[in-house]
Amino acid sequence: MSTDLEKPGPERSDAPETDKPRTWMGRILSRLAGWLGGHDFHYAGYLPSRPGFLLRYTLDPFFSRVTVHPRYLEQLRDLASQGAVVYTLKYRSHLDFLFFNRRYQKLGVVAPEVAFDLNLWMWQPLSHLVQIISAAVNYFTRRRSWPNPFQDGYFQQTIKEKRGSLLFLVDQVGFRQRFLKPREDPIRHLLEIQLELDFPIFLVPQMVMYEKAPFRENKSLWQLFFGDSENPGRLRKLGLCLLRAKSAVVEVAEPINLKEFLATAPTDGRLRDLAQQIRRELIQRLDVQRRVITGPVMKSREEVMELTLTDPALTRVMEHLAETKKKKLYKIKKTAQDYFWEMSADPHVFYINTMHRLINWLSRHLFEGIAFDTQGFEKVRQASQRGCLIFVPCHKSHLDYLILNYLIFQHHMQSPRIAAGKNLSFWPLGPIFRGSGVFFIRRRFLGGKLYAEVLHTYIKTMIKTGYNLEFFIEGGRSRTGKLVLPKVGLLNMVLRAYDEGAAPDILFVPTFIGYDQVLEEKAYLQELEGGKKEDETVGQLVNARKFLKKRYGRAYIQFSEPLSLKDYMAGLPLPESGDLQARQHGQELSYRIIQAINQISVVTPFSLVCAALLTYPRKGVYRRELLQIIQVLYDYLQAQGVPEADSLGDLTQAVEDNLAVCESRKLVTPIEKEEGLTDELGLGGYSIDETKRPLLEYYKNNILHFFLPAAMVSLSILARQGFEFNRDQILEDYGFLRDFFRNEFIFSDQDPETQVTETLKYFTSRGVVINLDSHEASYTLSASGLKELAYFANLLFNYLESYWIVFRSIKFLQKKPRSEKEFLKRIQSIGAKLHKLGEVERAEALSEATFQNAVKIFGEKGIVLKKAPEGKGATTFSRPADEDAKEYYGRQLARFLRR
């Protein structure tokens, strides 16, 4: 390893006090330094563990308010146990050194005691200040030069003793020192020291973030005088420390191990060049860490418009449209500009901060707490350094994007740009949302090629610029409580932007957002009963104040492992058939994302109680039996290892609390409280309000996907003639049900054979079924297992009844084809009649969403004939010419319904 051309400086003497003072003044100063308990050399950049009065009683109280995440403290303790820790800050700052010195001491991690190239005389205790002055004069009288911590071995001794130190990467003083005297470059000096040590030196880049606002390209007059948020002037930094310490946070980037760095560095490399390389890398890591929080430089709406509308690909599309539609190009461009103004966000710090304060107030008034997945989010933060993030949450409420963005911002990360429906752009919410980073898109734009191209280019521009995005892959809010099949329009646009080189990598973050109770549940039930969705208006906004009168339990936010698009595409074959195969990749990716959301869904006590209450169609249930059902369902969830709310740690108390909630909401009524009834048998029980069963169904559906394997295996077993069966029979039924309900549920990507085998193994372990022959995989149902299988099978019974209603309604198509709207209306009417006659037992089976899914699968299977509209006509349905498929599925439905 080359050691540069400059001659090394003089080594520090191990015992400089052996040199006798040359003058009587030197002897006096030497005795004074010894009397004060000091050494021959004292450095003004060293701060004792007990600083002066000025620091202890002025800044210390503010320093203690700054947040330091426990994960960083653990990381620093681990580094200190392995070697010497040298903290690095980007900009020179007395205040930052004082902060890290005092804060880290109190937190019990290695604190920076020594600062390279920093004079701390103002903050020294009086005794140490006298030591510094006397030692400096004494040194000068002996050597006729002032002390130099580089040449005298002071920094070397500090590192050998593994004491904490700190250096600055960018500052005029340090640059002048390094430029004129390269041997006094701190990083180069540390490389020299590392060559002589057995243990590593760790350079730890870190910073204090007082402000989260993104940078703007043009500096304001305030910034010109007082500095920007990245490198504020002394007055501004002091003001930030005093006024914003409580919201400030320490950020630590990935450290550099100098021992490992030198081991991999070229042997002919000069230390000066290596030091410069390390300095650039540390600055890069700090900049990336800062951008995780602040986001990229904020561009004006006009600048984003210019970047979007002048994109070469979009320009070619506009020219082609002008040519094919025989229109003037400027008119096409004017239309594209109008589309941009209609959809684009216009973020502003004022709106962003106002919205976050409002959401903070709302969340405290609406919920008893929010369970936020901090461990999962830490993985998301780390992934954000590799590329653009696309948050893909499930969608249950209008509160979803508000709460998620608020919590992302609160946990020190830039808020993503959110895709929202154009229906939310009404005044006054539209301008507020737009100013908070929301962009509005039309629900449908079939045939609108120019609109689709402008939207795609706008998304590509945001990804290129470095913004994180957020969109709901279900398209809209789920009215049923379970995940809706994915819509791939926006996802395909992101894939196309990646294919066009918008970013080296894009990472999707499947996100679960759930609630104990949802604000919009009443509106959802009206739509499921056939009611029309009401448009969002100012009147609805005014009426929303009624929601503030009650609380809705807890909210839950969970994050799945970020999915790298680069890695995903690397594992796929290259598209051979153009857009068709590209769309297929998008479809596969969408299912992978939505399956990941299902896997991290949180089981809440309320959803578990609701599922148990709906196990049977009876109007009531004995308390003892209800508790038994809950225990059976909970045991299965425990065996699957699914995420669950903390309150389920005490199952008994959680069940009691949520039964009380059901009672207060009049979902159930204890028998003893029913008018004119008494509980003579003393068994206890609950009556279930028939009109509230669809509401209970909504919350049951929140966790139904976890029970699908057990429910479908149970349906198959109970549909058998007799008590004996084999695994192949169950697997055949399982495959049928999985295919039959493919438009209804998001199934796990685990293969059916494995799921059936594991489910049978679980039932065997509980004594529900008995394995008669392990070689032939034959089983028999135990005497006690019938009831437990019924608990699981009945979770899907209402779906079978819904599909049965649609099957029975096919007679309506005998005379002539019917439109989809007309057909669904008649299905709803027939279902209501069958329910009153008792042929359909469950009120929750009368769900328009389930009817639509049944009509769709019947069309795919040829049970009904679906004819696409011609021009502006409507889709029509008619009876099939071949009745074989209809008869087959009719028999299967009757078998599973045991009719």
Side-chain angles (χ1 to χ4, degrees):
M1 183 74 65
S2 173
T3 56
D4 294 350
L5 302 177
E6 294 87 338
K7 294 181 180 180
E11 295 292 329
R12 179 191 176 190
S13 173
D14 291 334
E17 56 268 58
T18 56
D19 297 338
K20 294 183 179 180
R22 300 178 181 178
T23 65
W24 61 271
M25 179 62 70
R27 289 193 292 271
I28 293 175
L29 292 175
S30 177
R31 291 182 180 180
L32 178 61
W35 175 69
L36 290 171
H39 303 286
D40 182 66
F41 182 81
H42 282 277
Y43 176 47
Y46 165 76
L47 192 65
S49 57
R50 182 174 174 80
F53 170 87
L54 184 62
L55 178 57
R56 289 201 309 273
Y57 296 101
T58 54
L59 296 178
D60 262 13
F62 297 95
F63 289 163
S64 62
R65 300 179 187 176
V66 178
T67 302
V68 184
H69 199 283
R71 69 177 180 275
Y72 291 147
L73 300 180
E74 287 301 318
Q75 180 184 9
L76 294 177
R77 291 189 183 101
D78 181 59
L79 294 177
S81 67
Q82 300 177 47
V85 176
V86 180
Y87 299 103
T88 64
L89 300 179
K90 186 173 182 180
Y91 296 106
R92 184 185 188 89
S93 170
H94 282 75
L95 192 64
D96 285 349
F97 173 82
L98 296 174
F99 165 77
F100 284 111
N101 175 275
R102 301 298 297 152
R103 191 77 173 101
Y104 280 0
Q105 280 187 46
K106 292 186 176 181
L107 291 172
V109 296
V110 59
E113 303 175 20
V114 177
F116 290 78
D117 300 328
L118 194 67
N119 195 326
L120 299 169
W121 65 267
M122 179 179 177
W123 308 100
Q124 302 287 352
L126 181 60
S127 59
H128 190 240
L129 188 60
V130 174
Q131 285 179 328
I132 294 171
I133 296 173
S134 61
V137 175
N138 186 30
Y139 188 101
F140 183 80
T141 59
R142 296 184 186 202
R143 305 190 181 188
R144 295 297 185 267
S145 64
W146 295 110
N148 187 312
F150 289 94
Q151 298 175 4
D152 296 327
Y154 180 83
F155 292 138
Q156 184 179 26
Q157 189 63 28
T158 298
I159 298 298
K160 284 183 177 180
E161 295 173 0
K162 295 185 179 180
R163 293 155 60 195
S165 54
L166 184 146
L167 61 86
F168 305 103
L169 301 171
V170 179
D171 69 285
Q172 292 183 4
V173 176
F175 174 75
R176 184 170 61 248
Q177 193 78 358
R178 296 193 308 273
F179 187 68
L180 298 178
K181 300 178 181 179
R183 300 200 64 84
E184 296 186 6
D185 176 359
I187 297 180
R188 183 190 183 284
H189 190 54
L190 288 172
L191 288 172
E192 290 177 337
I193 296 171
Q194 179 66 79
L195 291 171
E196 301 175 6
L197 298 178
D198 295 330
F199 57 83
I201 300 173
F202 295 100
L203 299 183
V204 183
Q206 59 180 7
M207 57 187 163
V208 188
M209 294 286 294
Y210 291 101
E211 296 180 290
K212 303 177 186 178
F215 300 133
R216 288 191 176 273
E217 290 186 337
N218 299 320
K219 291 189 176 183
S220 64
L221 188 62
W222 171 269
Q223 291 175 329
L224 291 175
F225 280 103
F226 298 101
D228 56 30
S229 57
E230 183 184 15
N231 185 25
R234 294 181 180 179
L235 284 178
R236 182 173 181 177
K237 174 156 280 192
L238 180 61
L240 291 171
C241 178
L242 299 179
L243 300 176
R244 296 193 179 181
K246 193 172 181 179
S247 60
V249 62
V250 170
E251 288 293 324
V252 179
E254 189 69 24
I256 292 179
N257 184 327
L258 289 188
K259 188 174 183 180
E260 293 180 356
F261 179 84
L262 288 173
T264 58
T267 55
D268 58 345
R270 298 199 309 170
L271 290 182
R272 180 199 301 178
D273 298 334
L274 295 178
Q276 195 62 28
Q277 180 183 343
I278 292 172
R279 186 179 302 276
R280 293 193 186 101
E281 177 62 25
L282 289 168
I283 292 173
Q284 173 68 15
R285 294 186 183 188
L286 283 171
D287 288 344
V288 169
Q289 192 74 15
R290 178 177 287 274
R291 282 197 296 271
V292 168
I293 299 174
T294 64
V297 174
M298 184 179 288
K299 298 182 182 295
S300 67
R301 197 179 183 189
E302 291 75 14
E303 187 176 359
V304 175
M305 178 182 68
E306 185 169 345
L307 291 172
T308 301
L309 299 184
T310 58
D311 181 84
L314 179 60
T315 300
R316 287 194 294 271
V317 170
M318 290 189 289
E319 291 172 349
H320 177 72
L321 287 174
E323 182 180 348
T324 56
K325 292 190 174 184
K326 308 300 181 183
K327 290 186 178 181
K328 294 184 177 179
L329 181 59
Y330 83 88
K331 290 187 176 181
I332 298 289
K333 289 186 174 182
K334 177 63 169 61
T335 303
Q337 186 179 29
D338 293 340
Y339 286 155
F340 177 86
W341 287 114
E342 175 188 308
M343 69 178 63
S344 61
D346 187 17
H348 193 279
V349 173
F350 171 77
Y351 286 108
I352 294 171
N353 290 333
T354 301
M355 281 296 292
H356 287 153
R357 291 190 183 96
L358 175 62
I359 298 164
N360 180 38
W361 179 83
L362 276 176
S363 61
R364 285 187 286 107
H365 281 75
L366 292 175
F367 301 107
E368 296 168 0
I370 299 178
F372 186 78
D373 178 16
T374 54
Q375 291 184 346
F377 188 70
E378 178 55 28
K379 295 179 182 178
V380 174
R381 278 175 54 92
Q382 293 173 1
S384 67
Q385 301 182 24
R386 309 203 311 265
C388 171
L389 295 181
I390 311 288
F391 289 89
V392 190
C394 58
H395 201 7
K396 290 184 169 61
S397 169
H398 278 311
L399 290 177
D400 293 344
Y401 40 84
L402 300 178
I403 292 178
L404 179 60
N405 269 33
Y406 164 70
L407 289 172
I408 289 173
F409 185 80
Q410 283 296 100
H411 286 79
H412 316 297
M413 190 173 176
Q414 59 156 316
S415 297
R417 300 288 183 264
I418 311 169
K422 188 185 174 184
N423 55 308
L424 293 176
S425 63
F426 66 93
W427 187 90
L429 276 187
I432 297 174
F433 283 162
R434 201 183 293 274
S436 303
V438 174
F439 62 98
F440 300 101
I441 61 175
R442 299 175 181 179
R443 294 291 184 188
R444 294 181 179 84
F445 38 92
L446 294 175
K449 181 174 177 58
L450 181 58
Y451 181 89
E453 285 297 321
V454 173
L455 177 58
H456 159 70
T457 311
Y458 178 59
I459 289 174
K460 182 173 72 173
T461 300
M462 288 192 288
I463 292 174
K464 269 186 176 181
T465 309
Y467 292 120
N468 295 334
L469 302 180
E470 175 187 332
F471 66 85
F472 298 98
I473 201 164
E474 299 169 275
R477 291 169 293 160
S478 170
R479 269 66 174 174
T480 62
K482 54 186 173 62
L483 288 183
V484 179
L485 296 185
K487 309 294 188 298
V488 296
L490 282 178
L491 179 61
N492 283 335
M493 289 185 179
V494 173
L495 295 181
R496 182 180 161 196
Y498 172 77
D499 188 54
E500 293 174 1
D505 196 7
I506 295 174
L507 297 108
F508 294 96
V509 185
T511 306
F512 169 78
I513 307 175
Y515 310 90
D516 282 335
Q517 299 170 54
V518 176
L519 276 71
E520 300 99 322
E521 59 184 27
K522 185 177 179 181
Y524 293 166
L525 295 180
Q526 290 176 350
E527 293 179 38
L528 291 176
E529 292 169 359
K532 186 180 178 182
K533 176 186 178 295
E534 295 182 9
D535 294 333
E536 288 77 5
T537 61
V538 178
Q540 277 192 341
L541 182 62
V542 173
N543 292 332
R545 68 185 187 278
K546 64 184 177 183
F547 293 116
L548 299 175
K549 297 179 181 179
K550 59 174 290 189
R551 296 174 76 84
Y552 298 85
R554 292 173 64 82
Y556 304 88
I557 314 289
Q558 292 281 121
F559 299 96
S560 181
E561 190 83 24
L563 173 61
S564 166
L565 182 57
K566 180 180 179 180
D567 295 343
Y568 178 79
M569 297 301 290
L572 296 175
L574 293 175
E576 298 176 356
S577 53
D579 291 343
L580 181 61
Q581 189 162 354
R583 285 197 297 270
Q584 182 65 30
H585 289 166
Q587 192 72 28
E588 293 171 358
L589 179 60
S590 70
Y591 271 90
R592 185 166 173 181
I593 291 171
I594 212 161
Q595 285 167 348
I597 297 173
N598 257 346
Q599 290 170 4
I600 59 173
S601 300
V602 176
V603 176
T604 67
F606 191 69
S607 59
L608 183 60
V609 169
C610 290
L613 286 169
L614 292 181
T615 303
Y616 286 112
R618 300 194 304 256
K619 294 182 179 180
V621 59
Y622 286 116
R623 175 180 170 82
R624 183 176 60 186
E625 184 180 14
L626 176 63
L627 296 179
Q628 181 183 353
I629 297 170
I630 291 173
Q631 189 65 57
V632 168
L633 298 181
Y634 182 70
D635 289 345
Y636 178 78
L637 294 172
Q638 286 269 286
Q640 304 307 307
V642 304
E644 59 182 48
D646 293 339
S647 53
L648 280 173
D650 185 352
L651 180 63
T652 303
Q653 187 61 49
V655 169
E656 294 299 330
D657 291 343
N658 282 273
L659 283 173
V661 171
C662 289
E663 183 182 344
S664 66
R665 299 189 61 190
K666 295 182 172 52
L667 303 176
V668 299
T669 305
I671 293 296
E672 60 271 17
K673 294 185 180 180
E674 285 277 5
E675 186 177 353
L677 295 178
T678 57
D679 186 15
E680 291 90 348
L681 298 177
L683 297 177
Y686 299 92
S687 64
I688 303 172
D689 187 340
E690 184 76 7
T691 63
K692 300 295 180 63
R693 289 183 69 95
L695 180 58
L696 296 172
E697 173 71 12
Y698 177 89
Y699 292 103
K700 181 196 87 173
N701 284 340
N702 289 177
I703 60 173
L704 181 58
H705 59 281
F706 289 126
F707 295 110
L708 288 176
M712 292 194 297
V713 169
S714 298
L715 275 172
S716 176
I717 295 172
L718 295 177
R720 296 280 141 200
Q721 297 294 331
F723 293 103
E724 293 189 7
F725 58 92
N726 60 55
R727 188 176 65 91
D728 290 341
Q729 292 172 329
I730 304 303
L731 189 58
E732 182 182 353
D733 283 345
Y734 191 92
F736 170 83
L737 290 170
R738 183 167 172 144
D739 178 66
F740 191 59
F741 286 131
R742 69 187 183 201
N743 295 327
E744 199 68 57
F745 303 112
I746 307 296
F747 291 98
S748 168
D749 58 355
Q750 192 177 36
D751 68 280
E753 186 172 354
T754 302
Q755 288 185 318
V756 169
T757 302
E758 291 183 354
T759 304
L760 288 173
K761 184 178 179 181
Y762 173 78
F763 285 156
T764 303
S765 68
R766 290 181 64 88
V768 174
V769 299
I770 300 170
N771 192 341
L772 298 176
D773 188 337
S774 58
H775 180 69
E776 296 185 2
S778 60
Y779 300 83
T780 186
L781 182 61
S782 69
S784 60
L786 181 62
K787 184 173 285 190
E788 189 161 324
L789 287 181
Y791 296 156
F792 291 106
N794 288 342
L795 293 173
L796 290 180
F797 220 79
N798 61 295
Y799 288 95
L800 291 170
E801 289 190 325
S802 295
Y803 282 55
W804 178 255
I805 292 169
V806 176
F807 183 80
R808 292 286 301 274
S809 302
I810 295 176
K811 291 182 179 180
F812 177 62
L813 304 176
Q814 282 181 338
K815 295 182 179 180
K816 63 175 182 178
R818 307 284 182 172
S819 68
E820 184 175 14
K821 182 178 179 181
E822 190 178 9
F823 188 29
L824 287 172
K825 186 176 180 181
R826 181 54 63 95
I827 291 171
Q828 193 81 36
S829 174
I830 293 172
K833 292 175 183 177
L834 292 176
H835 178 55
K836 287 184 178 181
L837 293 171
E839 186 173 340
V840 172
E841 298 177 325
R842 292 163 170 80
E844 59 269 27
L846 307 180
S847 166
E848 181 157 329
T850 312
F851 293 155
Q852 290 173 346
N853 291 331
V855 169
K856 184 177 180 181
I857 193 68
F858 285 170
E860 293 171 1
K861 298 298 182 183
I863 302 171
V864 296
L865 291 181
K866 179 180 178 180
K867 186 177 181 182
E870 297 179 0
K872 295 184 178 180
T875 300
T876 60
F877 293 90
S878 58
R879 286 177 63 87
D882 184 6
E883 296 284 332
D884 291 344
K886 177 175 176 291
E887 292 178 3
Y888 169 73
Y889 283 96
R891 288 195 304 269
Q892 289 287 70
L893 276 172
R895 185 166 69 88
F896 288 115
L897 287 168
R898 301 190 288 277
R899 294 180 179 174

